[in-house]
């Protein structure tokens, strides 16, 4: 709550002084216009075009989630999803250990599972070519904060450029993109059971 008040104060004080305001999705644009009376230009955090082709579907089907090991992202739920899916699916986590304690907890949670593995993160330019070796890009992001609720992260665009099917929870901005271009599947809610 303290951070929310701080940022609301910053926005109220400084947004009127901004000549050009850019953000990454329509939800942020609408919220800033409604709350602070400031319109903006939407420029998605899209990945560069990649001339890759989709790979043949693997057996087991290979899911990947990449990004920071941030506790608010509830990555443990994606590990639980792999457990529900069973041996016909393999989840690979390519995580930056932003929170070393949380990263260690995730590794411990998955240690007994035969269908979850961790790989080292790669440079920014290597993300899309690395993802291209998988079948499904996975991201369940529970709406634990306003930012999480309206997120349209760069990883979605990286999944697209890697030519992956996308499997997500019902986050509105991500869902809008997946529905508009028929890019994959969207769970009915944020539970592992629903996406499984």
């Amino acid at each position: 709550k303290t951070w929310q008040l701080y940022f609301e104060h910053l926005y109220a004080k400084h947004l009127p002084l901004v000549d050009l305001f850019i953000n990454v999705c329509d939800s942020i644009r609408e919220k800033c216009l409604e709350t602070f009376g400031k319109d903006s230009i939407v420029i998605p955090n899209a990945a560069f075009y990649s001339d890759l082709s989709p790979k043949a579907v693997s057996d087991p089907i290979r899911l990947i989630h990449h990004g920071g090991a941030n506790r608010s992202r509830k990555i443990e739920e994606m590990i639980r999803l792999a457990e529900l899916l069973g041996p016909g699916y393999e989840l690979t986590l390519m995580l930056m250990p932003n929170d070393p304690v949380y990263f260690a907890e995730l590794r411990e949670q998955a240690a007994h599972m035969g269908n979850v593995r961790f790989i080292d993160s790669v440079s920014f330019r290597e993300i899309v070519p690395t993802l291209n070796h998988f079948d499904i890009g996975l991201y369940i992001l529970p709406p634990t904060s306003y930012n999480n609720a309206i997120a349209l992260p760069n990883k979605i665009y990286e999944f697209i450029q890697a030519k992956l099917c996308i499997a997500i929870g019902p986050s509105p901005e991500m869902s809008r993109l997946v529905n508009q271009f028929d890019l994959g599947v969207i769970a009915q809610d944020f539970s592992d059971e629903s996406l499984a």
Side-chain angles (χ1 to χ4, degrees):
K1 187 69 178 167
T2 303
W3 283 111
Q4 179 183 345
L5 293 172
Y6 172 71
F7 284 115
E8 285 175 356
H9 169 74
L10 281 179
Y11 295 153
K13 182 176 179 182
H14 296 287
L15 275 183
L17 305 173
V18 171
D19 292 326
L20 177 62
F21 183 28
I22 299 171
N23 67 64
V24 297
C25 69
D26 289 323
S27 291
I28 295 173
R29 177 189 169 269
E30 292 160 8
K31 184 71 169 177
C32 287
L33 186 57
E34 172 190 316
T35 306
F36 303 106
K38 186 68 174 183
D39 204 356
S40 58
I41 297 170
V42 175
I43 300 177
N45 195 5
F48 289 108
Y49 173 74
S50 172
D51 195 22
L52 296 168
S53 297
K55 303 285 188 210
V57 177
S58 307
D59 183 17
I61 294 172
R62 300 178 69 199
L63 298 99
I64 187 159
H65 174 80
H66 72 292
N70 297 337
R71 199 172 290 275
S72 70
R73 294 181 180 176
K74 304 273 186 196
I75 297 165
E76 66 271 14
E77 294 302 318
M78 289 182 260
I79 294 173
R80 187 168 171 271
L81 171 69
E83 190 168 33
L84 290 172
L85 290 172
Y89 292 81
E90 179 184 85
L91 172 62
T92 297
L93 296 169
M94 184 170 72
L95 304 173
M96 295 290 297
N98 303 26
D99 177 340
V101 172
Y102 181 55
F103 185 73
E105 289 171 9
L106 294 173
R107 290 187 76 99
E108 184 177 328
Q109 177 188 355
H112 74 283
M113 298 175 62
N115 68 338
V116 177
R117 67 188 190 109
F118 289 77
I119 62 173
D120 292 335
S121 57
V122 296
S123 71
F124 181 76
R125 290 186 185 278
E126 290 301 312
I127 292 173
V128 169
T130 301
L131 296 177
N132 181 246
H133 297 285
F134 294 85
D135 304 307
I136 299 173
L138 174 65
Y139 199 23
I140 307 171
L141 182 63
T144 55
S145 67
Y146 180 73
N147 283 348
N148 283 2
I150 55 92
L152 183 56
N154 59 311
K155 68 175 65 8
I156 294 299
Y157 293 101
E158 290 159 355
F159 291 158
I160 292 168
Q161 289 304 328
K163 313 309 186 265
L164 303 184
C165 174
I166 297 173
I168 59 170
S171 301
E173 287 289 339
M174 290 188 261
S175 295
R176 187 180 310 167
L177 194 61
V178 169
N179 280 329
Q180 182 179 357
F181 296 102
D182 195 21
L183 299 172
V185 296
I186 304 167
Q188 293 297 310
D189 57 47
F190 290 96
S191 70
D192 306 320
E193 291 81 6
S194 177
L195 191 53

